[in-house]
């Protein structure tokens, strides 16, 4: 059901995007509905994502392990490419509104990023909301960065060449984690850059939220509020690492590659972040992909823009070497 005054996004989608949505509906009807339990949300999400993660680049080596974090064990997955340049490492933080998603649902994205960057990519299976609420996830991601730096020699990583990357909620966590580490440790010069795909960084209302979002992407304004409620809960006063726009973005932010689809209700978050960073002379690149919706990075089996967005992020990453 379309909310009042929203644009009919279907009329602006590319043929490949329309084909992708047809396949999505074939796989799971209403795959991203928030009108079910969070357990059912995860089941639907996992089932729908299986198809999109088939195939893709094969790592030279994959290592799965558990690290004892501040809130219990954290599953971590290393993907080492067949061709590797340097010893930089990319920590990939998966999206899913902080409620759904895991290392498997984002496997192909990580492997494509591994191949395009020619770098090791390390996924973190942080604890999900609503069982674990903010700022658990930020603290776990920050913990992993510091753990990797401490164990860098064991995993052939340069402790002073770390990248944070993520999509959607994972993009929020990537930016939030860099801010958290900056505020707690006073500097993050060891973070080469952030690769931020269609994240939400703090806006609760915007032009793009009014125009876009619906059943096709699970990002109606009601859905966005549902994710926020599950993640934040009640009684939190310090939201600097969720509403990143309430934090200080004028200094100590690593260079940022920021990408979004022009049919995404969260696109104004990306645009605002870019404006703030560039106004304050922080290196940032903003990329718009036309005719595609939120979460398009998953759809590389059909959608060329998925691979192109990862490739552009990899180019930004390599330009800073």
């Amino acid at each position: 059901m379309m909310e009042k005054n929203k644009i009919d996004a279907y009329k602006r989608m590319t043929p490949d995007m329309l084909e992708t949505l047809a396949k999505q509906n074939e796989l799971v009807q209403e795959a991203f509905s928030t009108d079910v339990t969070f357990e059912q949300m995860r089941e639907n999400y996992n089932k729908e994502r299986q198809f999109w993660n088939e195939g893709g680049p094969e790592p030279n080596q994959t290592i799965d392990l558990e690290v004892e974090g501040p809130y219990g064990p954290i599953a971590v997955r290393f993907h080492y490419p067949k061709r590797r340049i340097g010893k930089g490492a990319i920590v990939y933080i998966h999206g899913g509104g902080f409620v759904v998603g895991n290392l498997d649902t984002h496997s192909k994205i990580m492997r494509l990023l591994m191949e395009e960057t020619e770098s090791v990519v390390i996924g973190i299976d942080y604890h999900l909301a609503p069982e674990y609420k903010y700022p658990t996830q930020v603290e776990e991601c920050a913990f992993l960065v510091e753990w990797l730096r401490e164990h860098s020699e064991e995993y052939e990583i340069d402790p002073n060449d770390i990248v944070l990357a993520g999509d959607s909620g994972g993009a929020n966590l990537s930016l939030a984690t860099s801010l958290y580490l900056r505020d707690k440790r006073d500097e993050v010069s060891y973070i080469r850059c952030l690769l931020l795909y269609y994240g939400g960084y703090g806006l609760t209302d915007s032009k793009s939220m009014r125009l876009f979002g619906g059943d096709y992407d699970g990002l109606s304004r009601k859905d966005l509020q549902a994710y926020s409620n599950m993640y934040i809960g009640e009684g939190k006063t310090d939201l600097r690492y969720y509403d990143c726009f309430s934090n200080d973005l004028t200094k100590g932010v690593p260079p940022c590659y920021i990408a979004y689809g022009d049919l995404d209700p969260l696109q104004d978050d990306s645009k605002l972040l870019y404006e703030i960073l560039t106004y304050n002379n922080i290196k940032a690149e903003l990329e718009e992909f036309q005719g595609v919706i939120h979460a398009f990075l998953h759809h590389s089996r059909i959608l060329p823009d998925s691979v192109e967005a990862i490739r552009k992020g990899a180019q930004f990453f390599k330009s800073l070497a």
Side-chain angles (χ1 to χ4, degrees):
M1 180 179 177
M2 185 173 288
E3 296 175 50
K4 290 179 180 178
N5 304 321
K6 289 213 169 183
I7 285 173
D8 185 351
Y10 288 96
K11 292 182 178 179
R12 297 191 177 186
M13 292 179 192
T14 65
D16 290 326
M17 189 73 253
L18 289 169
E19 182 184 347
T20 296
L21 286 185
K23 185 62 181 180
Q24 175 181 293
N25 291 331
E26 175 190 322
L27 294 167
V28 180
Q29 285 288 332
E30 298 184 354
F32 310 120
S33 172
T34 58
D35 292 329
V36 295
T37 65
F38 67 83
E39 294 94 344
Q40 187 63 52
M41 288 172 62
R42 290 176 191 163
E43 185 177 329
N44 291 343
Y45 188 86
N46 293 348
K47 183 178 179 182
E48 195 275 337
R49 292 300 188 219
Q50 285 177 5
F51 170 83
W52 303 109
N53 280 282
E54 293 175 6
E58 288 296 325
N60 182 57
Q61 182 184 22
T62 296
I63 300 173
D64 283 298
L65 55 89
E66 277 195 347
V67 178
E68 190 61 37
Y71 299 96
I74 304 170
V76 179
R77 180 172 295 167
F78 293 72
H79 288 304
Y80 289 87
K82 292 176 181 176
R83 171 180 164 80
R84 186 180 181 192
I85 297 177
K87 290 192 174 182
I90 300 172
V91 176
Y92 194 85
I93 307 174
H94 72 78
F98 318 102
V99 176
V100 302
N102 55 48
L103 297 175
D104 293 329
T105 61
H106 287 67
S107 171
K108 193 172 183 182
I109 293 175
M110 289 191 286
R111 288 181 285 116
L112 283 166
L113 187 62
M114 168 203 75
E115 182 175 68
E116 293 295 335
T117 58
E118 298 176 300
S119 175
V120 59
V121 173
I122 304 153
I124 173 173
D125 205 8
Y126 55 85
H127 287 88
L128 296 174
E131 302 99 314
Y132 294 82
K133 299 197 183 295
Y134 166 90
T136 296
Q137 295 77 3
V138 180
E139 293 176 3
E140 286 186 327
C141 292
F143 168 84
L144 180 64
V145 171
E146 296 190 318
W147 183 90
L148 286 170
R149 298 190 75 213
E150 291 170 6
H151 295 81
S152 58
E153 188 172 342
E154 182 180 352
Y155 294 100
E156 297 184 9
I157 290 169
D158 181 346
N160 295 311
D161 191 4
I162 305 290
V163 172
L164 297 176
D167 63 296
S168 193
N172 173 283
L173 286 171
S174 295
L175 177 58
T177 297
S178 73
L179 296 174
Y180 181 90
L181 288 166
R182 177 202 67 186
D183 295 344
K184 301 298 180 184
R185 302 289 182 260
D186 206 31
E187 67 93 27
V188 284
S189 60
Y190 55 85
I191 298 181
R192 186 197 296 198
C193 65
L194 308 180
L195 305 179
L196 306 174
Y197 292 95
Y198 45 80
Y201 308 108
L203 294 182
T204 57
D205 195 4
S206 70
K207 174 182 172 180
S208 58
M209 288 180 193
R210 295 281 178 162
L211 291 178
F212 301 106
D215 294 341
Y216 54 88
D217 61 5
L219 290 182
S220 69
R221 296 183 74 209
K222 175 179 68 69
D223 294 324
L224 291 170
Q225 190 59 54
Y227 283 115
S228 178
N229 291 344
M230 284 187 275
Y231 183 47
I232 300 298
E234 298 179 358
K236 301 287 188 350
T237 55
D238 183 1
L239 298 179
R240 288 176 296 158
Y241 308 111
Y242 172 58
D243 173 10
C244 296
F245 293 129
S246 68
N247 207 318
D248 185 356
L249 298 175
T250 67
K251 60 183 180 182
V253 180
C256 293
Y257 174 78
I258 306 164
Y260 65 90
D262 74 336
L263 303 179
D264 190 338
L266 300 184
Q267 65 182 274
D268 284 345
D269 285 74
S270 290
K271 294 173 183 176
L272 176 58
L273 177 61
Y274 175 78
E275 291 291 338
I276 293 171
L277 295 180
T278 54
Y279 177 78
N280 289 286
N281 298 311
I282 295 168
K283 185 176 179 62
E285 183 175 316
L286 185 68
E287 196 101 46
E288 178 182 87
F289 292 84
Q290 296 188 347
V292 299
I293 64 172
H294 189 82
F296 73 92
L297 222 58
H298 285 278
H299 303 135
S300 55
R301 290 188 69 176
I302 294 177
L303 199 63
D305 297 276
S306 307
V307 178
E308 184 63 14
I310 292 170
R311 184 172 295 130
K312 289 292 185 67
Q315 290 171 358
F316 184 83
F317 161 85
K318 287 181 173 182
S319 73
L320 298 168

